[in-house]
Amino acid sequence: MAQQPADTDEASEAALHALAEAGRQGACLVPVGAGIRQHPLEAWDTRPVVPWASTRFQTIRRWSVPDLTVEVDAGLPWEDLNRRLAQHGQWLPVGVPDGAPDTLGGIVSAGVNGVWTGGYLSIRDRILSMTVAVPAFGVVRVGAPVVKNVAGYNLWRLYWATRGTFGIVLTITWKLAALPRATATLTCGDSGSLTGRVWEEAGRWGASIPTVPALAALLLTIHPSGWELVGIAHGGDRAMDRLRRTLGAQVGAGPDVARPAALSDRLVWQARLPREGQRLVLEALSRWGASARAELQSGMVWGYGQQPDGASQEMAQLVARHGGTFRYWDGPWRGLRVPPAEVDMWQRLKTGMDLQGVLPGWRAEAEA
Amino acid sequence: MGVVEDLRRVVGPGFVRTDAALLDAYAQDAYTLAAIRPLAVVWPASADEVAGVVRVLAQHGVPLVARGGGTSLSGGATPVAGGVVVHLSRLNRILRVDPLAGVAEVEPGVVNTWVSRAAATVGLTYRPDPSSQQACTLGGNIAENAGGPHCLRYGVTLNHILMADVVWADGRQSRVGTLSGDAEGLDTLSLLVGSEGTLGIVTRAWVRLEPVAEASATVLAVFGTVDEASETVSDVIAGGIVPAALEMMDNLAVSAVERGQYRVGYPADLGAVLLVEVDGLSEQVEEDAARVQAIAARHGVAHLQRAASAAERTLWWANRKTAFGAMGLISRNYYVQDGVIPRSRLPEALRAIEQVGRQHTIRIANVFHAGDGNLHPLLLYDGRDAGEVERVQVAGHEVLDVCLTLGGTVSGEHGIGVEKRADLARQLTVKEMAFQRAVKDAFDPMALLNPGKIFL
Ligand SMILES: Cc1cc2nc3c(=O)[nH]c(=O)nc-3n(C[C@H](O)[C@H](O)[C@H](O)COP(=O)(O)OP(=O)(O)OC[C@H]3O[C@@H](n4cnc5c(N)ncnc54)[C@H](O)[C@@H]3O)c2cc1C
């Protein structure tokens, strides 16, 4: 009757073997997907670091078309999955903001939110279940492969943006969406730095589309020579036609928003902020002449390329002051923050799951 | 000094009670198959008082159960023998509604509908709408990760809580989550939501408010058979339509609710009724409503009707949301089950549940969140008949076996509590149970917070 974890398959066996081997060698096992958001392995830990290459396993394990759920190996790139899902009119609304071929496990472990976060929620909210290899428990399933579940603690959330701290993610079960029947695109832009026009225009579009979410994505791109605002609406033909009539939207296949033409630099950080904070951060970035993208409905901001000296640090502080979160995908791994009141509890959990400390640890930081 | 005196020093003498009649009133929540008289009930008025209470209880090694509205259907708020009930009803303020940020800051004793009402004054809404929303509290909703009819499209409590203040088992306090809705560092908030009061006590929460859609349409679809209705549900989902709500009631449930205060006038011989709500832009609503109606027609719908007014829509929802209570009109007692199945398996799940009822000669009504496969079979019984009580419990567990056999889970929204500890242990492997247990042991090593829940 119990859930069937993929206990005996090749990926599970390989992961358990790798954990045991790392334990024997006194090494730290770090999962690596496509390597796109990877911090340099040598700077990870004082111990020798052994990578766990998830890309060896890339199959679609179980796809229930009528339930709109799919279970996939963590090493499968998100675009490969979407190509397959399109055959039955479905997709996983990821849209990695630089269009890179991240693996689904990598997206989870690095906590990458995509361009559809405003319209389709954070990709984290589409995870229903995972199988994970944990030193103390072997291969276990966390969550359940149905769209609603409160049986036990929300353990799958331990694996979001924690880079293998609590185990190796082997498979992920996702809640899918139907591909939109029609698309409409709104655009505006200007040269020079960000002006009030951005917020006026975004506000006007939002006010004309009184529903939740107003748009599938509302993306602002800023770069040294100007800015562009793109709104993508998904829906039925008649709703899209209304946007054409009232807002002058282009109806038909939209631009590939996962690949911003204006940004050739590398994506190096991601932040998520409350609305007002997002605006202040974007204005600061524009003043600095930085390259960035933002999804204005969800508070997401993505920073590209080399930042001016000290800007990343200043940005991280600005984000924190406005109640946001900040993740670097560049330079050495900075660890995960734990407030002092929670350090003992998390330490006990980590020890209970990974007695030998085979997986990456974290740094407890003093509260600001 | 005794524990009761120490508690009085923290919250004031009037806010610790030990009189038998009152303790008996706290012996149960809405799960009526378990009752335990607590040692005392205490009413703290602030987060610091909650922390003080927890520290006193930790010093004395006395366990506690946080209590909100006491509407848990799995016995989550059932007291622990020799333990103290910490009732959060004095922490009942809505501290701020920020329309620009779309956030409300609330205390845990705030009743769910108060938040929706406060949000409505600024044109926003708080989505999670458990049918118990007139009585259950935000603290209880967070602890149970509550759902509700309109969670199909907009997500459950977990998707609507941004940040919370918590008192831990050692009396220390911290703020978890961020106003951005993302986790920074270790995601303590996600563990806390749905933890049934076993990891920490929530003393304040920041919840997400959202704009109301421009238009909505509510469609009633009456079917001659349960199979036709459940096949319609499966096809709506498979068709990629995500209604705001998609609820189902079968004949027995309708026969009860039609004796209640909110009568829709359903035909007496119906097999099942679907209540489908779609929302969005007006054109989108028309398209989605038409698609839903066409699918229902394909499955032989007997009667289709769209709510013609806000009053009619309100009546239909009041009828649906009072369905559990209405069971009291056709049966002395009823036992609510809560399990989830993959949505495509709805027709066979309902047939299997009917079979369970027949086998144990228990009448089973069905009122549930069909769109996400969250079943709520209501098992009717007479509590005076010990044999029937036993049969109803066995049948309840067999209903959950049906869910597990079809690849589902033993709880979609009511939690494990005391009721489903054995069922959870059947759903999970031994190793998976050990993983769950490791979290409890790490956060509450002395087992002071709501012990005896979730785990056997
Ligand atoms: C008629 C009826 C209909 C219902 N319909 C639904 C529905 O549609 N959807 C749904 O999800 N549920 C439903 N329920 C179940 C119930 O209402 C929910 O589980 C609700 O969230 C419980 O809230 P409460 O305030 O009553 O909590 P309680 O019953 O008082 O407590 C529930 C749990 O929360 C813990 N708790 C309470 N406050 C705190 C706090 N501040 N910090 C930490 N832990 C705390 C308690 O210890 C306990 O474990 C229904 C119940 C009834 C009786």
Side-chain angles (χ1 to χ4, degrees):
Chain A
M1 192 68 67
Q3 303 183 144
Q4 291 301 309
D7 224 341
T8 49
D9 67 28
E10 203 192 327
S12 303
E13 273 172 17
L16 293 176
H17 178 74
L19 284 171
E21 202 48 40
R24 256 193 300 281
Q25 292 171 12
C28 173
L29 190 70
V30 174
V32 178
I36 296 158
R37 321 282 166 213
Q38 196 65 47
H39 300 278
L41 285 182
E42 61 279 8
W44 203 280
D45 204 280
T46 48
R47 296 164 295 169
V49 171
V50 180
W52 160 261
S54 71
T55 44
R56 287 163 59 197
F57 305 102
Q58 307 201 332
T59 57
I60 293 180
R61 302 265 183 131
R62 211 166 292 125
W63 177 14
S64 174
V65 175
D67 284 306
L68 284 94
T69 59
V70 69
E71 182 178 16
V72 298
D73 280 335
L76 184 68
W78 66 278
E79 283 181 310
D80 291 4
L81 175 64
N82 273 340
R83 256 191 302 276
R84 288 283 302 281
L85 295 177
Q87 292 166 5
H88 282 283
Q90 298 182 358
W91 69 311
L92 181 67
V94 194
V96 166
D98 54 356
D102 293 49
T103 62
L104 289 156
I107 286 170
V108 169
S109 284
V112 185
N113 265 329
V115 296
W116 306 110
T117 303
Y120 290 86
L121 297 179
S122 161
I123 198 69
R124 181 182 68 156
D125 293 319
R126 293 195 164 266
I127 300 170
L128 302 174
S129 173
M130 294 179 185
T131 52
V132 289
V134 181
F137 308 116
V139 174
V140 286
R141 180 176 289 283
V142 290
V146 281
V147 296
K148 215 167 167 193
N149 171 39
V150 296
Y153 303 123
N154 298 321
L155 297 183
W156 69 97
R157 288 267 178 124
L158 285 175
Y159 297 89
W160 176 255
T162 53
R163 295 185 172 271
T165 304
F166 298 104
I168 308 287
V169 177
L170 297 174
T171 71
I172 308 160
T173 305
W174 300 95
K175 178 174 165 179
L176 304 173
L179 278 168
R181 277 172 293 140
T183 299
T185 309
L186 296 150
T187 45
C188 77
D190 213 340
S191 55
S193 58
L194 219 50
T195 60
R197 199 178 137 215
V198 176
W199 317 115
E200 278 163 30
E201 203 67 359
R204 189 172 72 87
W205 295 350
S208 308
I209 311 172
T211 182
V212 182
L215 291 158
L218 179 53
L219 293 162
L220 174 65
T221 304
I222 55 178
H223 44 84
S225 51
W227 56 268
E228 285 103 42
L229 185 65
V230 178
I232 311 275
H234 287 165
D237 292 329
R238 288 174 55 198
M240 296 306 102
D241 192 51
R242 165 164 149 198
L243 301 188
R244 183 186 59 75
R245 280 181 284 109
T246 54
L247 290 169
Q250 296 283 327
V251 177
D256 187 356
V257 288
R259 271 182 199 73
L263 299 176
S264 51
D265 286 333
R266 213 163 69 78
L267 173 60
V268 291
W269 58 262
Q270 170 182 286
R272 189 166 189 185
L273 290 119
R275 218 164 287 161
E276 192 51 32
Q278 185 191 37
R279 180 176 172 153
L280 293 171
V281 164
L282 289 170
E283 283 169 353
L285 284 166
S286 172
R287 275 198 306 278
W288 287 334
S291 294
R293 293 186 97 191
E295 204 289 322
L296 299 184
Q297 301 171 114
S298 58
M300 295 304 308
V301 183
W302 296 277
Y304 290 76
Q306 196 63 45
Q307 306 290 306
D309 262 358
S312 287
Q313 203 55 34
E314 204 174 314
M315 188 54 52
Q317 283 161 7
L318 189 63
V319 167
R321 262 206 309 284
H322 290 284
T325 55
F326 197 86
R327 288 196 228 302
Y328 290 98
W329 289 320
D330 209 22
W333 170 233
R334 290 166 170 82
L336 297 161
R337 256 195 58 221
V338 200
E342 298 168 33
V343 171
D344 293 349
M345 301 183 297
W346 281 104
Q347 191 57 58
R348 279 194 293 267
L349 180 59
K350 171 75 172 159
T351 309
M353 295 172 69
D354 180 19
L355 189 57
Q356 281 182 281
V358 174
L359 300 166
W362 68 76
R363 262 161 255 162
E365 275 181 28
E367 241 167 10
Chain B
M1 191 70 86
V3 63
V4 171
E5 288 70 32
D6 284 353
L7 288 173
R8 288 195 168 121
R9 281 220 307 274
V10 175
V11 297
F15 296 106
V16 182
R17 298 267 300 268
T18 56
D19 37 312
L22 182 115
L23 296 183
D24 283 342
Y26 278 86
Q28 279 188 328
D29 54 24
Y31 175 67
T32 50
L33 293 164
I36 294 172
R37 184 195 275 189
L39 176 76
V41 180
V42 49
W43 289 266
S46 65
D48 286 343
E49 283 192 7
V50 173
V53 164
V54 171
R55 271 194 300 271
V56 163
L57 294 174
Q59 275 154 20
H60 288 271
V62 173
L64 68 97
V65 180
R67 188 175 175 107
T71 66
S72 167
L73 286 165
S74 58
T78 311
V80 183
V84 166
V85 171
V86 179
H87 195 182
L88 295 150
S89 56
R90 291 172 74 206
L91 284 152
N92 61 6
R93 293 172 301 163
I94 294 178
L95 298 163
R96 207 160 62 100
V97 174
D98 181 343
L100 280 180
V103 174
E105 183 180 343
V106 302
E107 291 186 320
V110 163
V111 171
N112 178 290
T113 39
W114 302 355
V115 185
S116 323
R117 245 181 274 143
T121 62
V122 295
L124 299 175
T125 185
Y126 177 63
R127 300 281 181 193
D129 62 336
S131 302
S132 52
Q133 66 192 136
Q134 310 280 358
C136 65
T137 64
L138 261 287
N141 293 168
I142 294 170
E144 298 286 359
N145 190 11
H150 289 86
C151 291
L152 172 57
R153 173 156 185 183
Y154 295 106
V156 293
T157 302
L158 181 63
N159 309 113
H160 290 85
I161 304 299
L162 300 169
M163 200 161 79
D165 283 348
V166 192
V167 172
W168 302 108
D170 58 6
R172 291 214 266 178
Q173 301 183 49
S174 67
R175 181 162 291 178
V176 299
T178 69
L179 284 177
S180 75
D182 198 7
E184 172 104 5
L186 295 169
D187 186 4
T188 318
L189 179 65
S190 291
L191 281 187
L192 191 75
V193 176
S195 65
E196 306 191 21
T198 63
L199 302 183
I201 301 183
V202 176
T203 55
R204 188 172 292 199
W206 286 257
V207 304
R208 189 200 307 277
L209 307 178
E210 284 163 350
V212 183
E214 170 187 85
S216 69
T218 312
V219 176
L220 264 189
V222 176
F223 294 86
T225 69
V226 168
D227 266 5
E228 290 165 353
S230 45
E231 279 158 12
T232 299
V233 171
S234 295
D235 279 3
V236 166
I237 298 301
I241 305 167
V242 189
L246 174 44
E247 300 283 301
M248 181 161 159
M249 290 192 282
D250 69 5
N251 179 286
L252 188 54
V254 168
S255 75
V257 86
E258 284 291 283
R259 290 181 201 201
Q261 200 183 338
Y262 305 103
R263 294 176 195 177
V264 172
Y266 289 119
D269 59 348
L270 61 73
V273 60
L274 293 181
L275 188 54
V276 192
E277 195 155 281
V278 288
D279 67 3
L281 291 182
S282 49
E283 293 84 350
Q284 189 68 53
V285 165
E286 289 311 315
E287 278 183 44
D288 286 348
R291 289 179 70 205
V292 167
Q293 287 171 311
I295 293 170
R298 262 205 325 269
H299 289 286
V301 69
H303 175 72
L304 266 174
Q305 189 179 343
R306 255 176 83 160
S309 64
E312 192 163 41
R313 172 185 182 266
T314 306
L315 171 71
W316 292 356
W317 277 114
N319 174 284
R320 158 63 189 90
K321 288 196 173 182
T322 51
F324 285 7
M327 293 304 133
L329 300 170
I330 59 166
S331 173
R332 178 168 277 274
N333 300 92
Y334 67 94
Y335 172 33
V336 183
Q337 258 309 351
D338 164 44
V340 184
I341 45 132
R343 299 166 291 187
S344 59
R345 315 291 296 268
L346 198 50
E348 55 193 301
L350 292 176
R351 282 194 292 269
I353 289 168
E354 194 189 342
Q355 178 63 28
V356 169
R358 225 179 289 125
Q359 201 174 324
H360 294 281
T361 50
I362 298 285
R363 287 188 300 160
I364 300 183
N366 287 289
V367 181
F368 62 101
H369 312 307
D372 34 35
N374 188 182
L375 307 174
H376 287 324
L378 300 155
L379 292 78
L380 311 186
Y381 70 102
D382 183 342
R384 296 169 303 183
D385 177 344
E388 196 162 275
V389 173
E390 205 171 298
R391 286 206 317 278
V392 90
Q393 284 177 299
V394 173
H397 295 299
E398 286 183 13
V399 162
L400 296 179
D401 284 345
V402 169
C403 297
L404 291 179
T405 307
L406 294 176
T409 176
V410 297
S411 183
E413 56 182 23
H414 295 169
I416 301 302
V418 286
E419 178 204 7
K420 292 188 182 165
R421 292 174 301 169
D423 303 299
L424 181 67
R426 278 181 306 134
Q427 174 172 337
L428 305 185
T429 63
V430 172
K431 291 185 290 183
E432 287 161 358
M433 260 334 262
F435 189 176
Q436 295 277 343
R437 169 61 84 179
V439 175
K440 171 68 177 167
D441 292 346
F443 278 71
D444 179 20
M446 286 170 66
L448 292 171
L449 300 177
N450 212 1
K453 311 295 160 65
I454 303 178
F455 305 100
L456 278 170

